[in-house]
Amino acid sequence: CALRARDSWGIFAFLCAALCNLPAVPALNGTEELGAGQSIQKTYDLTRYLEHQLRTLAGTYLNYLGPPFNEPDFNPPRLARAEQVPSATVDLDLWRGLTDNARLAANYRAYSRLLCYLRGLDGQVGTVELRHRLGHFCSSLQGLVLSIAGVMSSLGYPLPAGPAGPPAPPGAPAAPNDFLKKMDDFWLLKELQTWLWRSAKDFNRLKKKVPPAVVTLRMEARGF
């Protein structure tokens, strides 16, 4: 038994000495590159989430405005005042004929401006629940603006010229009456709904053109 114990300790000591004298081996670390493909996928997912979120928010807000704005068949003409809100109404063939850079830049500018108008609504509504929903939606929309900027950066496109934050809406006189003010709010939500619908299609097409992120192995040599 004593001989067997001494043999076991001898083998253990030999293995320790061998390991201590091995040359340093480079370590292999698997790291995932956050490339354009993954950035586009996240932006697409966020756009679809905002579409779902807006349906709930718009229903609540239109009920807050009251009739006729919360009636399903209410479809008023767009007034000249509403032209200040970025319009998504454009010929689809013309839109698809734009470069990826031009469409991304248009999305970035539009959501920056729409976000500014939505933040203006947040201070006007009279219910706590609606203010909370508006605040949450604005935070998500801010995330979309940043996500679009990330996609542009990953594709090597510059951001549109202008201030870093959301641009302030152009100076405009206040609505002369409560009904026209509600019309402004109605068109803001309607245009935002159309922008999100079209953006989801844009990012869905774009992600098919850009390969997904790959996993690469990075060599980190230690001990030399």
Side-chain angles (χ1 to χ4, degrees):
C1 291
L3 180 60
R4 188 174 304 166
R6 285 197 300 269
D7 289 345
S8 298
W9 278 108
I11 293 172
F12 178 74
F14 172 78
L15 290 175
C16 287
L19 289 173
C20 289
N21 287 283
L22 282 176
V25 178
L28 296 178
N29 290 338
T31 59
E32 185 177 2
E33 290 185 352
L34 300 180
Q38 186 174 357
S39 182
I40 294 168
Q41 179 64 53
K42 288 184 176 180
T43 307
Y44 169 76
D45 292 340
L46 181 54
T47 305
R48 295 305 305 269
Y49 169 71
L50 279 163
E51 278 191 289
H52 171 75
Q53 200 176 356
L54 181 61
R55 281 193 289 269
T56 302
L57 173 63
T60 304
Y61 196 85
L62 294 179
N63 284 333
Y64 168 75
L65 296 181
F69 300 98
N70 59 348
E71 296 173 0
D73 57 347
F74 182 63
N75 188 27
R78 181 172 172 135
L79 303 178
R81 291 181 49 81
E83 295 299 326
Q84 301 171 62
V85 176
S87 176
T89 305
V90 66
D91 181 76
L92 286 179
D93 290 333
L94 178 63
W95 179 258
R96 291 174 183 174
L98 298 176
T99 64
D100 293 334
N101 187 10
R103 282 193 299 270
L104 286 168
N107 276 282
Y108 179 84
R109 284 191 295 263
Y111 288 121
S112 297
R113 183 62 58 90
L114 289 165
L115 175 61
C116 193
Y117 280 107
L118 279 172
R119 284 174 171 162
L121 293 186
D122 192 15
Q124 299 172 15
V125 296
T127 68
V128 175
E129 178 190 0
L130 192 50
R131 281 199 302 270
H132 175 75
R133 290 191 178 188
L134 274 170
H136 181 64
F137 187 85
C138 285
S139 297
S140 298
L141 192 60
Q142 175 67 52
L144 180 61
V145 173
L146 296 175
S147 190
I148 294 173
V151 170
M152 296 185 72
S153 176
S154 66
L155 293 173
Y157 300 145
L159 289 180
N177 57 58
D178 186 59
F179 182 82
L180 290 181
K181 171 64 178 66
K182 291 180 178 181
M183 283 282 284
D184 290 346
D185 297 351
F186 175 86
W187 273 105
L188 173 60
L189 295 174
K190 191 175 181 67
E191 288 294 352
L192 182 55
Q193 183 181 45
T194 307
W195 272 105
L196 288 170
W197 171 81
R198 192 174 64 190
S199 294
K201 293 186 176 296
D202 288 344
F203 290 113
N204 189 44
R205 284 191 296 268
L206 187 59
K207 71 178 183 177
K208 295 175 181 178
K209 296 168 62 175
V210 178
V214 297
V215 175
T216 59
L217 293 178
R218 185 178 64 211
M219 302 290 289
E220 292 184 357
R222 296 189 179 94
F224 290 97

